[in-house]
Short mmCIF file of all heavy atoms in Angstrom, two decimals:
data_model
loop_
_atom_site.label_atom_id
_atom_site.label_comp_id
_atom_site.label_asym_id
_atom_site.label_seq_id
_atom_site.Cartn_x
_atom_site.Cartn_y
_atom_site.Cartn_z
N MET A 11 0.84 -1.23 0.01
CA MET A 11 0.02 0.00 -0.02
C MET A 11 0.87 1.19 -0.07
O MET A 11 1.93 1.31 0.76
CB MET A 11 -0.85 0.01 1.26
CG MET A 11 -1.82 1.18 1.30
SD MET A 11 -2.81 0.87 2.75
CE MET A 11 -3.49 2.54 2.96
N ALA A 12 0.50 2.33 -0.79
CA ALA A 12 1.33 3.44 -0.92
C ALA A 12 1.08 4.28 0.42
O ALA A 12 -0.02 4.46 0.85
CB ALA A 12 0.99 4.22 -2.10
N VAL A 13 2.15 4.85 0.86
CA VAL A 13 2.09 5.59 2.12
C VAL A 13 2.79 6.91 1.76
O VAL A 13 3.83 7.02 1.14
CB VAL A 13 2.87 5.08 3.13
CG1 VAL A 13 2.91 6.00 4.47
CG2 VAL A 13 2.29 3.70 3.60
N PRO A 14 2.06 8.08 1.96
CA PRO A 14 2.64 9.38 1.65
C PRO A 14 3.86 9.78 2.49
O PRO A 14 3.90 9.43 3.75
CB PRO A 14 1.58 10.36 1.87
CG PRO A 14 0.60 9.71 2.73
CD PRO A 14 0.74 8.22 2.48
N LYS A 15 4.86 10.34 1.78
CA LYS A 15 6.15 10.69 2.53
C LYS A 15 5.98 11.88 3.33
O LYS A 15 6.55 12.15 4.38
CB LYS A 15 7.16 10.91 1.48
CG LYS A 15 8.58 10.39 1.80
CD LYS A 15 9.56 10.42 0.67
CE LYS A 15 10.52 9.29 0.93
NZ LYS A 15 11.53 9.29 -0.14
N ARG A 16 5.07 12.80 2.94
CA ARG A 16 4.78 14.12 3.57
C ARG A 16 3.20 14.36 3.80
O ARG A 16 2.47 13.79 2.95
CB ARG A 16 5.47 15.26 2.82
CG ARG A 16 6.89 15.17 2.62
CD ARG A 16 7.56 16.45 2.85
NE ARG A 16 9.09 16.33 2.41
CZ ARG A 16 9.99 16.08 3.33
NH1 ARG A 16 9.61 15.95 4.56
NH2 ARG A 16 11.17 15.92 3.00
N LYS A 17 2.96 15.13 4.79
CA LYS A 17 1.54 15.44 5.03
C LYS A 17 1.03 16.44 3.83
O LYS A 17 1.79 17.36 3.45
CB LYS A 17 1.49 16.18 6.43
CG LYS A 17 0.10 16.63 6.61
CD LYS A 17 -0.09 17.28 8.07
CE LYS A 17 -1.44 17.54 8.38
NZ LYS A 17 -1.55 18.09 9.74
N MET A 18 -0.15 16.09 3.38
CA MET A 18 -0.72 16.93 2.33
C MET A 18 -1.52 17.98 3.02
O MET A 18 -2.25 17.62 3.88
CB MET A 18 -1.56 16.04 1.36
CG MET A 18 -2.11 16.83 0.25
SD MET A 18 -3.07 15.72 -0.85
CE MET A 18 -2.09 15.70 -2.31
N SER A 19 -1.48 19.23 2.56
CA SER A 19 -2.27 20.24 3.14
C SER A 19 -3.72 20.05 2.95
O SER A 19 -4.16 19.47 2.00
CB SER A 19 -1.88 21.63 2.60
OG SER A 19 -2.28 21.81 1.24
N ARG A 20 -4.43 20.72 3.89
CA ARG A 20 -5.97 20.62 3.63
C ARG A 20 -6.36 21.17 2.36
O ARG A 20 -7.23 20.68 1.74
CB ARG A 20 -6.54 21.55 4.93
CG ARG A 20 -8.11 21.41 4.84
CD ARG A 20 -8.73 22.14 6.05
NE ARG A 20 -8.41 21.44 7.24
CZ ARG A 20 -8.73 21.86 8.43
NH1 ARG A 20 -9.25 23.01 8.61
NH2 ARG A 20 -8.40 21.21 9.58
N SER A 21 -5.84 22.33 2.03
CA SER A 21 -6.08 23.05 0.74
C SER A 21 -5.95 21.95 -0.44
O SER A 21 -6.77 21.80 -1.36
CB SER A 21 -5.38 24.25 0.51
OG SER A 21 -5.67 24.74 -0.80
N ASN A 22 -4.72 21.41 -0.59
CA ASN A 22 -4.50 20.42 -1.58
C ASN A 22 -5.44 19.27 -1.47
O ASN A 22 -5.80 18.70 -2.61
CB ASN A 22 -3.06 20.01 -1.52
CG ASN A 22 -2.11 21.04 -2.09
OD1 ASN A 22 -2.50 21.93 -2.68
ND2 ASN A 22 -0.72 20.81 -1.67
N THR A 23 -5.64 18.73 -0.37
CA THR A 23 -6.56 17.58 -0.18
C THR A 23 -8.00 17.87 -0.76
O THR A 23 -8.61 17.07 -1.58
CB THR A 23 -6.74 17.11 1.27
OG1 THR A 23 -5.43 16.92 1.77
CG2 THR A 23 -7.66 15.92 1.37
N ARG A 24 -8.53 18.89 -0.46
CA ARG A 24 -9.87 19.43 -0.82
C ARG A 24 -9.82 19.73 -2.34
O ARG A 24 -10.86 19.42 -3.03
CB ARG A 24 -10.38 20.52 -0.03
CG ARG A 24 -10.71 20.12 1.42
CD ARG A 24 -11.13 21.14 2.25
NE ARG A 24 -11.42 20.72 3.60
CZ ARG A 24 -11.67 21.45 4.63
NH1 ARG A 24 -11.57 22.71 4.63
NH2 ARG A 24 -11.94 20.98 5.85
N HIS A 25 -8.73 20.28 -2.85
CA HIS A 25 -8.75 20.62 -4.32
C HIS A 25 -8.72 19.26 -5.07
O HIS A 25 -9.48 19.20 -6.03
CB HIS A 25 -7.46 21.44 -4.53
CG HIS A 25 -7.45 21.75 -6.01
ND1 HIS A 25 -8.17 22.68 -6.58
CD2 HIS A 25 -6.66 21.30 -6.98
CE1 HIS A 25 -7.88 22.79 -7.89
NE2 HIS A 25 -6.86 21.97 -7.99
N ARG A 26 -8.01 18.29 -4.59
CA ARG A 26 -7.90 17.02 -5.21
C ARG A 26 -9.34 16.27 -5.16
O ARG A 26 -9.76 15.80 -6.25
CB ARG A 26 -6.92 16.10 -4.62
CG ARG A 26 -6.71 14.79 -5.43
CD ARG A 26 -5.84 13.79 -4.60
NE ARG A 26 -6.57 13.29 -3.44
CZ ARG A 26 -6.23 13.43 -2.20
NH1 ARG A 26 -5.20 14.17 -1.89
NH2 ARG A 26 -6.97 12.93 -1.17
N ARG A 27 -9.95 16.25 -4.11
CA ARG A 27 -11.21 15.67 -3.93
C ARG A 27 -12.35 16.28 -4.74
O ARG A 27 -13.32 15.52 -5.15
CB ARG A 27 -11.68 15.61 -2.53
CG ARG A 27 -10.86 14.65 -1.58
CD ARG A 27 -11.31 14.78 -0.19
NE ARG A 27 -10.56 13.76 0.64
CZ ARG A 27 -10.49 13.92 1.97
NH1 ARG A 27 -11.33 14.82 2.67
NH2 ARG A 27 -9.83 13.06 2.72
N ALA A 28 -12.20 17.57 -4.98
CA ALA A 28 -13.33 18.30 -5.76
C ALA A 28 -13.24 17.91 -7.04
O ALA A 28 -14.24 18.15 -7.90
CB ALA A 28 -13.05 19.82 -5.48
N GLN A 29 -12.17 17.25 -7.67
CA GLN A 29 -12.10 16.95 -9.22
C GLN A 29 -12.93 15.74 -9.49
O GLN A 29 -13.27 15.51 -10.64
CB GLN A 29 -10.66 16.71 -9.52
CG GLN A 29 -9.64 17.98 -9.16
CD GLN A 29 -10.21 19.26 -9.95
OE1 GLN A 29 -10.53 19.18 -11.12
NE2 GLN A 29 -10.29 20.37 -9.26
N TRP A 30 -13.28 14.83 -8.52
CA TRP A 30 -13.92 13.59 -8.78
C TRP A 30 -15.37 13.89 -8.94
O TRP A 30 -15.99 14.64 -8.18
CB TRP A 30 -13.73 12.63 -7.54
CG TRP A 30 -14.23 11.31 -7.75
CD1 TRP A 30 -13.72 10.32 -8.48
CD2 TRP A 30 -15.67 10.91 -7.38
NE1 TRP A 30 -14.55 9.27 -8.55
CE2 TRP A 30 -15.76 9.56 -7.93
CE3 TRP A 30 -16.68 11.42 -6.81
CZ2 TRP A 30 -16.86 8.81 -7.69
CZ3 TRP A 30 -17.88 10.89 -6.55
CH2 TRP A 30 -17.92 9.44 -7.08
N ARG A 31 -15.88 13.39 -10.04
CA ARG A 31 -17.42 13.44 -10.21
C ARG A 31 -17.83 12.12 -10.75
O ARG A 31 -17.37 11.45 -11.71
CB ARG A 31 -17.71 14.44 -11.39
CG ARG A 31 -17.31 15.93 -11.02
CD ARG A 31 -18.39 16.42 -10.01
NE ARG A 31 -18.10 17.83 -9.81
CZ ARG A 31 -17.42 18.34 -8.80
NH1 ARG A 31 -16.87 17.50 -7.95
NH2 ARG A 31 -17.25 19.61 -8.54
N ALA A 32 -19.01 11.76 -10.22
CA ALA A 32 -19.76 10.55 -10.80
C ALA A 32 -20.49 10.97 -12.04
O ALA A 32 -20.97 12.14 -12.08
CB ALA A 32 -20.70 9.97 -9.76
N THR A 33 -20.52 10.04 -12.96
CA THR A 33 -21.29 10.30 -14.14
C THR A 33 -22.70 9.67 -14.14
O THR A 33 -22.93 8.57 -13.57
CB THR A 33 -20.55 9.68 -15.39
OG1 THR A 33 -20.35 8.37 -15.23
CG2 THR A 33 -19.21 10.42 -15.51
N THR A 34 -23.63 10.25 -14.70
CA THR A 34 -24.94 9.81 -14.77
C THR A 34 -25.08 8.52 -15.69
O THR A 34 -24.37 8.61 -16.68
CB THR A 34 -25.98 10.86 -15.23
OG1 THR A 34 -25.62 11.30 -16.41
CG2 THR A 34 -26.08 12.07 -14.16
N PRO A 35 -25.81 7.50 -15.39
CA PRO A 35 -25.85 6.41 -16.19
C PRO A 35 -26.47 6.70 -17.63
O PRO A 35 -27.45 7.51 -17.68
CB PRO A 35 -26.75 5.35 -15.55
CG PRO A 35 -27.51 6.15 -14.41
CD PRO A 35 -26.67 7.44 -14.15
N GLN A 36 -26.01 6.10 -18.60
CA GLN A 36 -26.62 6.19 -19.98
C GLN A 36 -27.89 5.28 -20.04
O GLN A 36 -27.88 4.17 -19.88
CB GLN A 36 -25.62 5.60 -20.92
CG GLN A 36 -26.03 5.70 -22.40
CD GLN A 36 -25.94 7.10 -22.98
OE1 GLN A 36 -25.19 7.87 -22.58
NE2 GLN A 36 -26.80 7.32 -23.98
N LEU A 37 -28.93 6.03 -20.18
CA LEU A 37 -30.28 5.49 -20.22
C LEU A 37 -30.70 5.19 -21.62
O LEU A 37 -30.55 5.94 -22.58
CB LEU A 37 -31.36 6.32 -19.57
CG LEU A 37 -31.23 6.78 -18.12
CD1 LEU A 37 -32.31 7.63 -17.68
CD2 LEU A 37 -31.13 5.47 -17.18
N VAL A 38 -31.24 3.85 -21.82
CA VAL A 38 -31.72 3.50 -23.15
C VAL A 38 -33.15 2.92 -22.98
O VAL A 38 -33.44 2.35 -21.95
CB VAL A 38 -30.76 2.40 -23.80
CG1 VAL A 38 -29.42 2.96 -24.03
CG2 VAL A 38 -30.55 1.23 -22.87
N PRO A 39 -33.96 3.10 -23.94
CA PRO A 39 -35.26 2.51 -23.86
C PRO A 39 -35.37 1.05 -24.05
O PRO A 39 -34.69 0.42 -24.91
CB PRO A 39 -36.00 3.13 -25.04
CG PRO A 39 -34.93 3.51 -26.11
CD PRO A 39 -33.72 3.83 -25.26
N VAL A 40 -36.07 0.36 -23.26
CA VAL A 40 -36.24 -1.09 -23.33
C VAL A 40 -37.79 -1.37 -23.21
O VAL A 40 -38.50 -0.81 -22.31
CB VAL A 40 -35.52 -1.75 -22.12
CG1 VAL A 40 -35.80 -3.40 -22.09
CG2 VAL A 40 -33.98 -1.56 -22.33
N VAL A 41 -38.20 -2.30 -24.02
CA VAL A 41 -39.67 -2.77 -23.94
C VAL A 41 -39.83 -3.84 -23.11
O VAL A 41 -39.28 -4.95 -23.36
CB VAL A 41 -40.20 -2.92 -25.33
CG1 VAL A 41 -41.75 -3.30 -25.31
CG2 VAL A 41 -40.06 -1.67 -26.16
N VAL A 42 -40.57 -3.81 -21.98
CA VAL A 42 -40.81 -4.82 -21.10
C VAL A 42 -42.28 -5.01 -20.93
O VAL A 42 -43.03 -4.13 -20.52
CB VAL A 42 -40.21 -4.63 -19.65
CG1 VAL A 42 -40.49 -5.86 -18.76
CG2 VAL A 42 -38.76 -4.37 -19.82
N ASP A 43 -42.82 -6.17 -21.37
CA ASP A 43 -44.39 -6.44 -21.33
C ASP A 43 -45.11 -5.41 -22.12
O ASP A 43 -46.20 -4.89 -21.71
CB ASP A 43 -44.99 -6.46 -19.82
CG ASP A 43 -44.20 -7.63 -19.05
OD1 ASP A 43 -43.95 -8.69 -19.69
OD2 ASP A 43 -44.07 -7.60 -17.84
N GLY A 44 -44.66 -4.97 -23.17
CA GLY A 44 -45.38 -4.03 -24.02
C GLY A 44 -45.14 -2.45 -23.55
O GLY A 44 -45.77 -1.69 -24.22
N VAL A 45 -44.47 -2.18 -22.51
CA VAL A 45 -44.36 -0.93 -22.01
C VAL A 45 -42.80 -0.47 -22.15
O VAL A 45 -41.96 -1.24 -21.82
CB VAL A 45 -44.68 -0.85 -20.62
CG1 VAL A 45 -44.49 0.58 -20.04
CG2 VAL A 45 -46.15 -1.42 -20.36
N THR A 46 -42.50 0.78 -22.69
CA THR A 46 -41.20 1.19 -22.82
C THR A 46 -40.70 1.83 -21.50
O THR A 46 -41.40 2.61 -20.96
CB THR A 46 -41.11 2.15 -24.02
OG1 THR A 46 -41.60 1.51 -25.22
CG2 THR A 46 -39.71 2.63 -24.27
N HIS A 47 -39.54 1.45 -21.13
CA HIS A 47 -38.96 1.97 -19.86
C HIS A 47 -37.44 2.41 -20.24
O HIS A 47 -36.79 1.90 -21.16
CB HIS A 47 -38.83 0.86 -18.86
CG HIS A 47 -40.08 0.40 -18.33
ND1 HIS A 47 -40.87 1.08 -17.48
CD2 HIS A 47 -40.76 -0.71 -18.67
CE1 HIS A 47 -42.00 0.30 -17.12
NE2 HIS A 47 -41.95 -0.72 -17.88
N GLN A 48 -36.99 3.48 -19.65
CA GLN A 48 -35.71 3.95 -19.63
C GLN A 48 -34.87 3.24 -18.60
O GLN A 48 -35.06 3.57 -17.39
CB GLN A 48 -35.61 5.55 -19.50
CG GLN A 48 -36.30 6.22 -20.60
CD GLN A 48 -35.54 6.37 -21.92
OE1 GLN A 48 -34.39 5.83 -22.00
NE2 GLN A 48 -36.14 7.06 -22.87
N VAL A 49 -33.93 2.49 -19.05
CA VAL A 49 -33.00 1.80 -17.98
C VAL A 49 -31.51 1.98 -18.30
O VAL A 49 -31.25 2.33 -19.45
CB VAL A 49 -33.34 0.25 -18.08
CG1 VAL A 49 -34.80 0.06 -17.68
CG2 VAL A 49 -32.98 -0.31 -19.35
N PRO A 50 -30.65 1.91 -17.25
CA PRO A 50 -29.22 1.99 -17.63
C PRO A 50 -28.79 0.97 -18.69
O PRO A 50 -29.21 -0.19 -18.58
CB PRO A 50 -28.56 1.76 -16.36
CG PRO A 50 -29.60 2.03 -15.35
CD PRO A 50 -30.87 1.74 -15.92
N GLN A 51 -27.85 1.41 -19.56
CA GLN A 51 -27.43 0.56 -20.63
C GLN A 51 -26.76 -0.79 -20.18
O GLN A 51 -27.03 -1.83 -20.70
CB GLN A 51 -26.38 1.30 -21.50
CG GLN A 51 -26.05 0.47 -22.73
CD GLN A 51 -25.10 1.38 -23.64
OE1 GLN A 51 -24.81 2.53 -23.26
NE2 GLN A 51 -24.77 0.86 -24.80
N ARG A 52 -26.11 -0.67 -19.01
CA ARG A 52 -25.40 -1.90 -18.62
C ARG A 52 -26.33 -2.94 -17.87
O ARG A 52 -25.98 -4.07 -17.71
CB ARG A 52 -24.37 -1.58 -17.49
CG ARG A 52 -24.85 -0.96 -16.26
CD ARG A 52 -23.68 -0.49 -15.36
NE ARG A 52 -24.32 -0.09 -14.09
CZ ARG A 52 -24.31 -0.95 -13.04
NH1 ARG A 52 -23.91 -2.20 -13.15
NH2 ARG A 52 -24.81 -0.57 -11.85
N LEU A 53 -27.59 -2.52 -17.69
CA LEU A 53 -28.61 -3.62 -17.10
C LEU A 53 -29.60 -3.93 -18.17
O LEU A 53 -30.55 -4.68 -17.74
CB LEU A 53 -29.31 -2.77 -16.05
CG LEU A 53 -28.47 -2.46 -14.76
CD1 LEU A 53 -29.34 -1.67 -13.81
CD2 LEU A 53 -27.88 -3.63 -14.23
N VAL A 54 -29.49 -3.57 -19.49
CA VAL A 54 -30.45 -3.89 -20.51
C VAL A 54 -30.74 -5.41 -20.41
O VAL A 54 -31.87 -5.93 -20.58
CB VAL A 54 -30.23 -3.49 -21.93
CG1 VAL A 54 -31.04 -4.02 -22.95
CG2 VAL A 54 -30.17 -1.92 -21.83
N LYS A 55 -29.73 -6.26 -20.50
CA LYS A 55 -29.88 -7.76 -20.57
C LYS A 55 -30.60 -8.23 -19.54
O LYS A 55 -31.42 -9.20 -19.66
CB LYS A 55 -28.51 -8.35 -20.85
CG LYS A 55 -27.88 -8.15 -22.17
CD LYS A 55 -26.55 -8.96 -22.39
CE LYS A 55 -26.00 -8.62 -23.68
NZ LYS A 55 -24.68 -9.40 -23.94
N ALA A 56 -30.33 -7.79 -18.29
CA ALA A 56 -31.02 -8.22 -17.03
C ALA A 56 -32.58 -7.96 -17.21
O ALA A 56 -33.39 -8.86 -16.83
CB ALA A 56 -30.39 -7.62 -15.84
N TYR A 57 -32.87 -6.79 -17.63
CA TYR A 57 -34.33 -6.51 -17.86
C TYR A 57 -34.96 -7.39 -18.96
O TYR A 57 -36.08 -7.83 -18.71
CB TYR A 57 -34.57 -5.01 -18.19
CG TYR A 57 -34.41 -4.01 -16.99
CD1 TYR A 57 -33.14 -3.45 -16.76
CD2 TYR A 57 -35.45 -3.83 -16.11
CE1 TYR A 57 -33.09 -2.52 -15.63
CE2 TYR A 57 -35.22 -3.02 -15.02
CZ TYR A 57 -34.24 -2.42 -14.85
OH TYR A 57 -34.17 -1.51 -13.72
N GLU A 58 -34.23 -7.53 -20.04
CA GLU A 58 -34.77 -8.47 -21.06
C GLU A 58 -35.04 -9.81 -20.68
O GLU A 58 -35.89 -10.55 -21.01
CB GLU A 58 -33.86 -8.36 -22.21
CG GLU A 58 -33.91 -7.05 -23.12
CD GLU A 58 -32.84 -6.97 -24.04
OE1 GLU A 58 -32.00 -7.91 -24.24
OE2 GLU A 58 -32.94 -5.94 -24.94
N ARG A 59 -34.10 -10.40 -19.74
CA ARG A 59 -34.27 -11.82 -19.27
C ARG A 59 -35.29 -11.94 -18.05
O ARG A 59 -35.58 -12.93 -17.70
CB ARG A 59 -32.97 -12.20 -18.82
CG ARG A 59 -31.84 -12.38 -19.90
CD ARG A 59 -30.53 -12.86 -19.44
NE ARG A 59 -29.52 -12.84 -20.49
CZ ARG A 59 -28.35 -12.99 -20.20
NH1 ARG A 59 -27.81 -13.00 -18.90
NH2 ARG A 59 -27.43 -12.94 -21.21
N GLY A 60 -35.78 -10.78 -17.63
CA GLY A 60 -36.62 -10.75 -16.46
C GLY A 60 -36.04 -10.88 -15.16
O GLY A 60 -36.71 -11.14 -14.12
N LEU A 61 -34.75 -10.62 -15.00
CA LEU A 61 -34.09 -10.69 -13.73
C LEU A 61 -34.35 -9.44 -12.91
O LEU A 61 -34.34 -9.46 -11.66
CB LEU A 61 -32.57 -10.78 -13.89
CG LEU A 61 -32.13 -12.05 -14.72
CD1 LEU A 61 -30.60 -12.09 -15.00
CD2 LEU A 61 -32.46 -13.32 -13.86
N LEU A 62 -34.62 -8.37 -13.56
CA LEU A 62 -35.01 -7.12 -12.82
C LEU A 62 -36.37 -6.55 -13.33
O LEU A 62 -36.72 -6.76 -14.50
CB LEU A 62 -33.93 -5.97 -13.10
CG LEU A 62 -32.57 -6.32 -12.58
CD1 LEU A 62 -31.71 -5.31 -13.00
CD2 LEU A 62 -32.58 -6.39 -11.02
N ARG A 63 -37.15 -5.86 -12.46
CA ARG A 63 -38.40 -5.27 -12.90
C ARG A 63 -38.19 -3.82 -12.93
O ARG A 63 -37.63 -3.21 -11.81
CB ARG A 63 -39.40 -5.57 -11.83
CG ARG A 63 -39.80 -7.03 -11.76
CD ARG A 63 -40.98 -7.25 -10.83
NE ARG A 63 -41.06 -6.30 -9.71
CZ ARG A 63 -40.88 -6.72 -8.34
NH1 ARG A 63 -40.73 -7.94 -8.12
NH2 ARG A 63 -40.85 -5.84 -7.43
N PRO A 64 -38.75 -3.18 -14.03
CA PRO A 64 -38.61 -1.54 -14.02
C PRO A 64 -39.45 -1.07 -12.87
O PRO A 64 -40.63 -1.46 -12.65
CB PRO A 64 -39.18 -1.24 -15.40
CG PRO A 64 -39.19 -2.59 -16.16
CD PRO A 64 -39.24 -3.70 -15.15
N GLY A 65 -38.91 -0.10 -12.14
CA GLY A 65 -39.69 0.67 -11.15
C GLY A 65 -40.02 -0.16 -9.92
O GLY A 65 -40.77 0.15 -9.10
N GLY A 66 -39.26 -1.31 -9.74
CA GLY A 66 -39.64 -2.06 -8.57
C GLY A 66 -38.47 -2.64 -8.06
O GLY A 66 -38.30 -3.24 -7.09
#
């Protein structure tokens, strides 16, 4: 595990943390039981196979 050699200032720590941003999931339309739902792209196969239910 990496260990810092010197203490990082509070200003530098907060400046570094402020750069991180989560991205919103890419939504794609999927038809489940004749109804179109917007679901994350990485979960499309799970919805098509019936492993997940939209809105529930």
Side-chain angles (χ1 to χ4, degrees):
M11 182 176 163
V13 178
K15 222 169 206 184
R16 302 220 183 266
K17 182 177 180 177
M18 185 179 249
S19 70
R20 181 179 292 175
S21 174
N22 283 344
T23 300
R24 290 179 177 168
H25 182 72
R26 186 191 71 243
R27 286 179 181 166
Q29 301 305 313
W30 185 86
R31 292 284 184 270
T33 57
T34 57
Q36 177 74 29
L37 297 179
V38 293
V40 174
V41 179
V42 180
D43 297 330
V45 181
T46 304
H47 298 279
Q48 295 282 359
V49 299
Q51 186 173 2
R52 66 188 189 91
L53 298 176
V54 170
K55 287 186 180 179
Y57 280 100
E58 289 174 348
R59 293 178 184 166
L61 300 174
L62 297 173
R63 294 187 325 245

